[in-house]
Amino acid sequence: MGVGIALGVLAPSVALASRQSVRYPALDQINYCALLFGILVYGIAGAGNIRQMGRIGLKAIIYFEIVTRRL
C-alpha cells in the first residue's frame, strides 16, 4: 500500500498506467475465500455433531455474503 501511495505521489502517470486498482478487488475476494475456507475447516474439525457443523457453516456463509457484498 505504501508503494502505491508513493508511486501515486511521485509518478502519477505511471501509477495510472499500472491499473493496480483493477486487480485489487480480485485479490480482496481471494482473501475472503481463504477466510471462509478456514472458518469451515475449523468448524468441521471442532464440531461435536452434525447440527453444530450446520450452524457454523451457515454463519460462515452469511458472513461471507455480508463481507463480499459490493455496494
Side-chain angles (χ1 to χ4, degrees), residues 2 23 30 33 44 58 62 66 69:
R23 293 187 198 118
I30 289 170
C33 291
I44 291 170
L58 180 63
I62 290 170
I66 290 171
R69 184 74 50 190

Side-chain angles (χ1 to χ4, degrees), residues 32 59-71:
Y32 291 127
K59 287 177 187 177
I61 291 171
I62 290 170
Y63 176 78
F64 177 77
E65 288 297 325
I66 290 171
V67 171
T68 59
R69 184 74 50 190
R70 302 287 183 209
L71 298 177

Side-chain angles (χ1 to χ4, degrees), residues 16-27:
L16 289 173
S18 69
R19 309 229 345 124
Q20 291 299 321
S21 62
V22 175
R23 293 187 198 118
Y24 181 74
L27 294 174

Side-chain angles (χ1 to χ4, degrees), residues 1 4 7 15 29 31 34 42 44 47 55 57 59 64 67 69:
M1 185 180 245
L7 190 61
Q29 193 165 6
N31 289 335
Y42 178 77
I44 291 170
R55 266 196 312 262
K59 287 177 187 177
F64 177 77
V67 171
R69 184 74 50 190

Side-chain angles (χ1 to χ4, degrees), residues 32-58:
Y32 291 127
C33 291
L35 179 64
L36 176 64
F37 179 74
I39 290 170
L40 290 174
V41 168
Y42 178 77
I44 291 170
N49 59 21
I50 299 295
R51 175 178 268 165
Q52 190 175 10
M53 283 193 319
R55 266 196 312 262
I56 292 170
L58 180 63

